[in-house]
PDB file of all heavy atoms in Angstrom:
ATOM      1  N   GLY A 545      -8.397   3.706  13.992  1.00 98.00           N
ATOM      2  CA  GLY A 545      -7.253   3.535  14.869  1.00 98.00           C
ATOM      3  C   GLY A 545      -7.024   2.068  15.210  1.00 98.00           C
ATOM      4  O   GLY A 545      -7.556   1.164  14.550  1.00 98.00           O
ATOM      5  N   GLU A 546      -6.212   1.838  16.246  1.00 98.00           N
ATOM      6  CA  GLU A 546      -5.816   0.468  16.594  1.00 98.00           C
ATOM      7  C   GLU A 546      -6.843  -0.196  17.508  1.00 98.00           C
ATOM      8  O   GLU A 546      -7.465  -1.189  17.158  1.00 98.00           O
ATOM      9  CB  GLU A 546      -4.443   0.505  17.263  1.00 98.00           C
ATOM     10  CG  GLU A 546      -3.943  -0.842  17.704  1.00 98.00           C
ATOM     11  CD  GLU A 546      -2.523  -0.777  18.240  1.00 98.00           C
ATOM     12  OE1 GLU A 546      -1.647  -0.199  17.570  1.00 98.00           O
ATOM     13  OE2 GLU A 546      -2.278  -1.312  19.338  1.00 98.00           O
ATOM     14  N   ALA A 547      -7.011   0.364  18.698  1.00 98.00           N
ATOM     15  CA  ALA A 547      -7.886  -0.241  19.709  1.00 98.00           C
ATOM     16  C   ALA A 547      -8.166   0.807  20.777  1.00 98.00           C
ATOM     17  O   ALA A 547      -7.357   1.726  20.972  1.00 98.00           O
ATOM     18  CB  ALA A 547      -7.210  -1.457  20.339  1.00 98.00           C
ATOM     19  N   PRO A 548      -9.266   0.680  21.510  1.00 98.00           N
ATOM     20  CA  PRO A 548      -9.547   1.655  22.567  1.00 98.00           C
ATOM     21  C   PRO A 548      -8.490   1.594  23.662  1.00 98.00           C
ATOM     22  O   PRO A 548      -7.932   0.536  23.953  1.00 98.00           O
ATOM     23  CB  PRO A 548     -10.905   1.194  23.134  1.00 98.00           C
ATOM     24  CG  PRO A 548     -11.448   0.201  22.157  1.00 98.00           C
ATOM     25  CD  PRO A 548     -10.292  -0.362  21.399  1.00 98.00           C
ATOM     26  N   GLY A 549      -8.208   2.760  24.259  1.00 97.00           N
ATOM     27  CA  GLY A 549      -7.386   2.827  25.464  1.00 97.00           C
ATOM     28  C   GLY A 549      -8.288   2.895  26.690  1.00 97.00           C
ATOM     29  O   GLY A 549      -9.493   2.649  26.608  1.00 97.00           O
ATOM     30  N   GLU A 552     -11.181   5.462  26.462  1.00 98.00           N
ATOM     31  CA  GLU A 552     -12.200   5.054  25.494  1.00 98.00           C
ATOM     32  C   GLU A 552     -13.024   3.887  26.037  1.00 98.00           C
ATOM     33  O   GLU A 552     -14.245   3.828  25.829  1.00 98.00           O
ATOM     34  CB  GLU A 552     -11.525   4.662  24.168  1.00 98.00           C
ATOM     35  CG  GLU A 552     -10.905   5.829  23.405  1.00 98.00           C
ATOM     36  CD  GLU A 552      -9.561   6.306  23.934  1.00 98.00           C
ATOM     37  OE1 GLU A 552      -8.918   5.540  24.697  1.00 98.00           O
ATOM     38  OE2 GLU A 552      -9.155   7.435  23.594  1.00 98.00           O
ATOM     39  N   PRO A 558     -14.286   6.332  20.603  1.00 98.00           N
ATOM     40  CA  PRO A 558     -12.877   6.266  20.214  1.00 98.00           C
ATOM     41  C   PRO A 558     -12.187   7.628  20.278  1.00 98.00           C
ATOM     42  O   PRO A 558     -12.842   8.673  20.141  1.00 98.00           O
ATOM     43  CB  PRO A 558     -12.917   5.769  18.763  1.00 98.00           C
ATOM     44  CG  PRO A 558     -14.288   5.972  18.290  1.00 98.00           C
ATOM     45  CD  PRO A 558     -15.194   6.169  19.477  1.00 98.00           C
ATOM     46  N   PHE A 559     -10.901   7.615  20.498  1.00 98.00           N
ATOM     47  CA  PHE A 559     -10.043   8.806  20.398  1.00 98.00           C
ATOM     48  C   PHE A 559     -10.560   9.997  21.207  1.00 98.00           C
ATOM     49  O   PHE A 559     -10.696  11.103  20.679  1.00 98.00           O
ATOM     50  CB  PHE A 559      -9.842   9.203  18.921  1.00 98.00           C
ATOM     51  CG  PHE A 559      -8.858   8.305  18.214  1.00 98.00           C
ATOM     52  CD1 PHE A 559      -9.277   7.366  17.284  1.00 98.00           C
ATOM     53  CD2 PHE A 559      -7.503   8.386  18.503  1.00 98.00           C
ATOM     54  CE1 PHE A 559      -8.371   6.537  16.650  1.00 98.00           C
ATOM     55  CE2 PHE A 559      -6.585   7.555  17.870  1.00 98.00           C
ATOM     56  CZ  PHE A 559      -7.026   6.640  16.948  1.00 98.00           C
ATOM     57  N   SER A 563      -4.271  11.788  22.041  1.00 96.00           N
ATOM     58  CA  SER A 563      -3.949  11.518  20.633  1.00 96.00           C
ATOM     59  C   SER A 563      -5.101  11.928  19.732  1.00 96.00           C
ATOM     60  O   SER A 563      -4.884  12.412  18.617  1.00 96.00           O
ATOM     61  CB  SER A 563      -3.519  10.080  20.349  1.00 96.00           C
ATOM     62  OG  SER A 563      -4.049   9.152  21.155  1.00 96.00           O
ATOM     63  N   ASN A 586     -12.055   1.932  15.444  1.00 98.00           N
ATOM     64  CA  ASN A 586     -10.784   1.216  15.583  1.00 98.00           C
ATOM     65  C   ASN A 586     -10.906  -0.153  14.922  1.00 98.00           C
ATOM     66  O   ASN A 586     -12.017  -0.680  14.795  1.00 98.00           O
ATOM     67  CB  ASN A 586     -10.466   0.998  17.074  1.00 98.00           C
ATOM     68  CG  ASN A 586     -10.038   2.277  17.769  1.00 98.00           C
ATOM     69  OD1 ASN A 586      -9.031   2.883  17.422  1.00 98.00           O
ATOM     70  ND2 ASN A 586     -10.815   2.701  18.754  1.00 98.00           N
ATOM     71  N   HIS A 660       0.277   6.790  13.615  1.00 98.00           N
ATOM     72  CA  HIS A 660      -0.693   6.922  14.706  1.00 98.00           C
ATOM     73  C   HIS A 660      -0.375   8.213  15.462  1.00 98.00           C
ATOM     74  O   HIS A 660       0.806   8.521  15.684  1.00 98.00           O
ATOM     75  CB  HIS A 660      -0.571   5.710  15.638  1.00 98.00           C
ATOM     76  CG  HIS A 660      -1.731   5.581  16.569  1.00 98.00           C
ATOM     77  ND1 HIS A 660      -1.902   6.414  17.650  1.00 98.00           N
ATOM     78  CD2 HIS A 660      -2.790   4.743  16.575  1.00 98.00           C
ATOM     79  CE1 HIS A 660      -3.017   6.083  18.284  1.00 98.00           C
ATOM     80  NE2 HIS A 660      -3.574   5.065  17.654  1.00 98.00           N
TER      81      HIS A 660
HETATM   82  N1  LIG B 772      -5.710   4.945  20.200  1.00 61.13           N
HETATM   83  C1  LIG B 772      -6.406   4.269  19.261  1.00 61.13           C
HETATM   84  O1  LIG B 772      -5.842   3.645  18.368  1.00 61.13           O
HETATM   85  N2  LIG B 772      -7.723   4.309  19.321  1.00 61.13           N
HETATM   86  C2  LIG B 772      -8.403   4.982  20.256  1.00 61.13           C
HETATM   87  O2  LIG B 772      -9.627   4.966  20.218  1.00 61.13           O
HETATM   88  C3  LIG B 772      -7.660   5.676  21.218  1.00 61.13           C
HETATM   89  C4  LIG B 772      -6.312   5.660  21.181  1.00 61.13           C
END
Side-chain angles (χ1 to χ4, degrees):
E546 178 174 310
E552 291 78 17
F559 284 107
S563 30
N586 287 298
H660 194 286

